[in-house]
Amino acid sequence: MEKFVIHGGKPLQGDVMIGGAKNAAVAILPATILAADKCIIENLPCISDVMASLQILSELGANIRMVSKSTYEIDTTHLDCTEVSNELSRQMRASYYFLGALLGRFGAGQVAMPGGCNLGPRPIDQHLKAFTALGAEDSVEYGMIRVKADHLTGAHIFFDTVSVGATMNAMLAAVMADGLTILENVAREPHVVDLANCLNMMGADVHGAGTDVIKIRGVKQLHGCSYSIIPDQIEAGSYMVGAAITGGDVTLHNVIPKHMEPITAKLRAAGCEVTEYDDAMRITRTGPIHPVKIKTMPHPGFPTDMQPLMTVLLTLADGTSIVTEGIWENRFRYVDELIRMGANIQVDGQVAVIEGVKKLYPAPLRALDLRAGAAMVMAALAADGVSEIDETAHIERGYENIVEKLQALGADIRRVEAPVRGLTRAI
């Protein structure tokens, strides 16, 4: 068990390199199963969700070789198993992408019900709807989801709700199905486009990713490829908030400014200055933080993963902000932690009303989930004093070397061993 100890009150200044997108990596790694060949995947973030995905591939029979810290060669030629172990698949939500990939290649797959952060119910009904339309049968027994098909055939699938997971899982299952598959009301996030681009590099025929209709013409087989994952939009946004809340000056490298537009627009509205370059961005704030209204929505709307971080920034705004959560029902669980720091926030259902305060005070905090944990880090950096954050394993799921990167920006942050709660030392 580790915790972060942060002495806040210092502006973040300097340069930070953004890693590969977690939400793209956790779908592209299972996609290598479809190649039945060697794939080289570059710009992989060194985070626990990626390591768990690689371990799942290894247990399924893939041969994995580390080329560099962020590049792996994955040979799925001799994969010999279609069942992901309960222990590994429960570690992260995105383990369900193995269902689509295994179904697409072998006509069968088994994965535990999704794990990961507790943000509310994670229904997979839209995933199963897509698999069923393609010709599969599904069952759930003892918390394990099984899908099986003698033959996959293209289908016209309209999703009842916009779901990133269901969109990407359907793509994985459909690329080798016979005939044409049309997916409507799909997610349009950058990582959906990234998965489509990777599949096309493997020989798939996927068109329309980034719009609300994706057309997939099935092919007989795929092949290996070399592919570099896009930069992480949310990691970049997190450091932008860190610069904004501390009144700093930070330049982000390895970013795609176009992907950042929903976040950039709100930060500018809050009083930040953002300068865009080809593959870099600079964010500064010298004046007051302005109140902002935010509603999280599917892309190209404001991303739900940035909501806790923007809420932290708005606790110090000069006025009243309103944040509406349109994706996850449990996303405001972290608000009590901010109230302990002196924030003035009222939550009614999916709406938070934030009355800005002059400053936040240091406090003992908990990282209740991945993005809430990152938000606690940014709040602690803004508080003048020493804060401690427990349960930091949540944060490490999605942020590579966050402590080291923040230290390079001038933050006083360190990892320390945390005592295991509930245990007393015997005398």
Side-chain angles (χ1 to χ4, degrees):
M1 297 285 290
E2 288 184 339
K3 63 181 177 180
F4 293 168
V5 178
I6 299 172
H7 196 141
K10 299 180 180 180
L12 298 185
Q13 294 181 325
D15 298 74
V16 62
M17 183 67 67
I18 302 304
K22 175 185 85 80
N23 290 333
V26 294
I28 286 172
L29 287 173
T32 62
I33 291 172
L34 295 162
D37 197 356
K38 288 182 180 179
C39 293
I40 295 177
I41 307 299
E42 302 172 351
N43 202 33
L44 278 168
C46 185
I47 55 176
S48 59
D49 273 16
V50 166
M51 296 302 112
S53 295
L54 290 170
Q55 191 173 349
I56 289 172
L57 284 167
S58 180
E59 289 197 0
L60 291 174
N63 185 18
I64 297 174
R65 181 174 67 90
M66 183 178 181
V67 178
S68 70
K69 183 182 177 183
S70 60
T71 302
Y72 283 80
E73 179 188 84
I74 303 165
D75 186 352
T76 59
T77 306
H78 304 294
L79 227 64
D80 54 7
C81 180
T82 61
E83 298 182 4
V84 178
S85 73
N86 180 64
E87 181 180 351
L88 281 174
S89 56
R90 289 176 64 87
Q91 288 180 15
M92 60 174 188
R93 170 178 61 93
S95 59
Y96 53 43
Y97 291 129
F98 284 92
L99 273 182
L102 290 168
L103 180 64
R105 177 170 169 185
F106 297 107
Q110 175 179 303
V111 174
M113 290 293 284
C117 299
N118 179 17
L119 303 178
R122 297 182 181 273
I124 61 163
D125 58 309
Q126 297 303 297
H127 304 238
L128 299 180
K129 174 182 180 177
F131 296 155
T132 301
L134 294 169
E137 296 180 353
D138 62 81
S139 62
V140 179
E141 299 174 16
Y142 302 104
M144 301 296 290
I145 311 162
R146 294 181 174 86
V147 291
K148 188 174 183 180
D150 294 328
H151 189 74
L152 293 176
T153 305
H156 195 146
I157 303 164
F158 185 94
F159 291 107
D160 300 328
T161 58
V162 177
S163 165
V164 171
T167 298
M168 295 169 88
N169 235 343
M171 291 164 63
L172 292 168
V175 287
M176 290 198 293
D178 285 345
L180 178 66
T181 297
I182 299 175
L183 308 177
E184 289 198 66
N185 196 31
V186 296
R188 300 160 58 186
E189 273 71 3
H191 38 283
V192 173
V193 179
D194 208 33
L195 174 62
N197 290 340
C198 182
L199 290 169
N200 285 340
M201 287 285 287
M202 294 178 183
D205 188 355
V206 181
H207 295 276
T211 74
D212 57 5
V213 179
I214 295 176
K215 295 182 179 180
I216 304 167
R217 194 166 294 280
V219 297
K220 293 297 183 185
Q221 65 180 41
L222 300 182
H223 53 73
C225 73
S226 292
Y227 192 78
S228 182
I229 289 172
I230 58 170
D232 196 300
Q233 171 198 36
I234 306 303
E235 184 191 14
S238 301
Y239 287 107
M240 293 173 81
V241 167
I245 200 168
T246 62
D249 183 346
V250 172
T251 299
L252 313 169
H253 299 273
N254 188 37
V255 293
I256 300 175
K258 180 73 176 175
H259 292 174
M260 304 304 300
E261 286 178 353
I263 301 166
T264 301
K266 293 301 181 183
L267 285 170
R268 284 176 172 152
C272 302
E273 183 176 332
V274 182
T275 307
E276 299 179 0
Y277 307 97
D278 287 344
D279 60 354
M281 301 177 73
R282 180 184 178 190
I283 179 165
T284 59
R285 182 184 65 82
T286 54
I289 299 170
H290 305 311
V292 177
K293 288 185 179 180
I294 292 173
K295 181 177 181 180
T296 66
M297 300 174 68
H299 190 80
F302 191 84
T304 179
D305 281 354
M306 281 299 300
Q307 183 258 94
L309 290 135
M310 281 299 295
T311 298
V312 166
L313 177 65
L314 297 174
T315 62
L316 296 176
D318 186 14
T320 303
S321 300
I322 298 175
V323 176
T324 304
E325 174 56 46
I327 308 295
W328 295 113
E329 66 179 47
N330 284 353
R331 191 112 239 189
F332 285 120
R333 292 191 311 140
Y334 65 89
V335 163
D336 287 343
E337 303 296 304
L338 293 179
I339 291 173
R340 295 169 69 184
M341 301 182 77
N344 185 354
I345 306 174
Q346 298 290 327
V347 177
D348 183 5
Q350 299 300 95
V351 179
V353 179
I354 307 156
E355 296 285 349
V357 297
K358 294 297 183 184
K359 63 179 180 178
L360 295 176
Y361 297 91
L365 304 167
R366 294 170 59 207
L368 295 172
D369 59 63
L370 167 56
R371 305 306 175 184
M376 294 306 105
V377 171
M378 301 310 164
L381 290 173
D384 191 4
V386 179
S387 299
E388 297 184 357
I389 303 176
D390 281 332
E391 302 178 37
T392 57
H394 284 302
I395 302 171
E396 311 274 10
R397 282 187 50 237
Y399 291 88
E400 179 180 13
N401 300 330
I402 186 171
V403 169
E404 291 76 13
K405 288 183 178 182
L406 286 171
Q407 287 172 343
L409 294 173
D412 186 346
I413 176 174
R414 56 195 172 91
R415 289 187 183 89
V416 300
E417 289 293 323
V420 179
R421 292 183 177 179
L423 295 182
T424 56
R425 185 177 176 183
I427 299 177

